[in-house]
């Protein structure tokens, strides 16, 4: 599925996740965040960058890992991305939907 | 049913998203405790509310002195695939439990104590059953701080109110 965000053509899968992280920009993130009902603040960006870094290093993500990252604790993570933090934050970060159960 | 009616039914079902999971944990074997915790945590990860009512042996999972010493059952558990007599040998439960814990750590599944902290931080509510507390002569201080309160089954049902709430007994 192709869509245009901030003048760029973006490929999304049927769940709305970017299929190519190279197409990700901050504008894309802000647009997807808005769809999720989230306004990105200074508190969100370090979390997004952390998730992208983990993805590039092929580390499978979990709530537990995010909580231990030193970037954000679990309570803050839920507060920043309410209603499914790992899924929403991953979508905003332009990485695939995490398959973790934890 | 014509096609339109079928489509409408499908839409209604799709809209009925689970809103709240009310889990009742009544057992203290480690596999049951993890099943309960993973379901509660998984609900929170999907934006679904989650509450756990710890009753009877389930209370062992939230007792400060006991929660790190839970075992998998090696006797009366056909899924262990070992003869019952062997399962009853001294040390067998500890051995099987250690094996299981190692496998779980590999999958990034936290130990019970840390899991309780994660649940609380995730916004899951944890409740202790008053009747079971009285039965086992337990005090609030015996339980981990993450327990919100000691409540009755009636209180728990009150909390289950609302559409698309599911109750699950483990």
């Amino acid at each position: 599925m192709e869509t245009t965000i901030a003048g760029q053509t973006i490929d999304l899968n049927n769940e709305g996740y970017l299929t190519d992280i190279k197409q990700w920009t901050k504008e894309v993130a802000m647009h997807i965040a808005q769809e999720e009902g989230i306004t990105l603040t200074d508190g969100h960006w370090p979390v997004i960058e952390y998730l992208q870094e983990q993805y590039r290093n092929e580390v499978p993500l979990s709530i537990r890992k995010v909580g231990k990252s030193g970037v954000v604790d679990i309570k803050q993570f839920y507060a920043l991305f309410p209603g499914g933090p790992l899924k929403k934050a991953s979508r905003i970060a332009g990485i695939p939907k995490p398959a973790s159960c934890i | 049913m014509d096609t339109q009616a079928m489509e409408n039914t499908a839409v209604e079902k799709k809209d009925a998203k689970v809103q709240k999971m009310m889990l009742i944990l009544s057992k203290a074997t480690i596999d049951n405790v993890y099943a309960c915790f993973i379901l509660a945590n998984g609900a929170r990860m999907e934006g679904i509310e989650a509450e756990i009512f710890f009753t009877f042996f389930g209370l062992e999972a939230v007792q400060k002195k006991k929660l790190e010493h839970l075992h998998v059952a090696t006797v009366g558990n056909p899924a262990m695939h070992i003869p019952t007599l062997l399962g009853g040998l001294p040390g067998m439960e500890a051995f099987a439990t250690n094996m299981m814990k190692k496998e779980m750590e590999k999958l990034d599944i936290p130990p019970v104590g840390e899991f309780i902290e994660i649940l609380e931080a995730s916004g899951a509510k944890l409740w202790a059953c008053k009747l079971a507390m009285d039965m086992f002569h337990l005090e609030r201080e015996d339980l981990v701080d993450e327990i919100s309160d000691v409540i009755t089954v009636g209180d728990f049902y009150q909390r289950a109110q609302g559409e698309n709430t599911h109750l699950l007994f483990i």
Side-chain angles (χ1 to χ4, degrees), chain B:
Chain B
M1 205 191 282
D2 63 27
T3 322
Q4 187 59 46
M6 271 164 76
E7 269 172 26
N8 287 345
T9 314
V11 168
E12 275 166 32
K13 277 191 181 149
K14 200 178 155 199
D15 285 347
K17 185 181 179 281
V18 179
Q19 299 286 342
K20 201 193 284 184
M21 285 302 295
M22 303 294 280
L23 304 159
I24 301 160
L25 180 65
S26 67
K27 299 174 195 79
T29 39
I30 204 159
D31 40 327
N32 282 295
V33 172
Y34 272 111
C36 178
F37 286 4
I38 289 166
L39 283 165
N41 183 60
R44 292 302 302 132
M45 284 173 73
E46 292 295 318
I48 298 166
E49 285 179 61
E51 304 200 5
I52 306 174
F53 187 59
F54 295 89
T55 189
F56 273 75
F57 300 113
L59 278 172
E60 301 234 330
V62 284
Q63 283 179 56
K64 287 176 196 161
K65 284 185 185 159
K66 294 191 174 167
L67 62 90
E68 297 295 359
H69 308 288
L70 304 178
H71 278 166
V72 62
T74 47
V75 174
N77 182 358
M80 291 304 293
H81 300 288
I82 53 171
T84 297
L85 272 172
L86 281 184
L89 289 176
M92 205 58 195
E93 276 200 347
F95 171 74
T97 304
N98 274 333
M99 293 267 291
M100 198 163 154
K101 281 184 177 170
K102 267 184 206 154
E103 288 303 313
M104 287 196 287
E105 186 59 45
K106 277 186 212 161
L107 293 172
D108 203 24
I109 300 174
V112 173
E114 188 192 333
F115 215 149
I116 292 170
E117 286 169 22
I118 292 176
L119 285 169
E120 199 246 1
S122 309
K125 287 263 182 289
L126 312 178
W127 308 100
C129 168
K130 188 178 181 308
L131 184 64
M133 291 279 287
D134 292 345
M135 204 183 108
F136 292 116
H137 306 291
L138 292 170
E139 302 291 337
R140 175 66 187 82
E141 302 78 62
D142 298 322
L143 306 179
V144 295
D145 296 340
E146 286 83 0
I147 289 284
S148 297
D149 206 353
V150 179
I151 64 172
T152 65
V153 65
D155 296 332
F156 188 68
Y157 277 136
Q158 287 288 323
R159 301 195 57 85
Q161 279 176 4
E163 275 182 50
N164 302 321
T165 296
H166 292 249
L167 278 126
L168 198 57
F169 185 82
I170 300 168

Side-chain angles (χ1 to χ4, degrees), chain A residues 2-51:
Chain A
E2 253 182 26
T3 186
T4 309
I5 298 174
Q8 306 168 65
T9 307
I10 306 290
D11 295 306
L12 298 174
N13 70 11
N14 56 4
E15 290 183 298
Y17 288 76
L18 262 70
T19 52
D20 181 3
I21 194 171
K22 289 190 201 86
Q23 295 177 335
W24 183 91
T25 63
K26 287 199 167 183
E27 287 71 34
V28 171
M30 284 190 270
H31 182 89
I32 295 174
Q34 210 171 13
E35 283 179 8
E36 296 283 1
I38 296 166
T39 307
L40 295 180
T41 64
D42 290 348
H44 291 89
W45 295 109
V47 181
I48 291 168
E49 282 160 22
Y50 166 79
L51 294 180

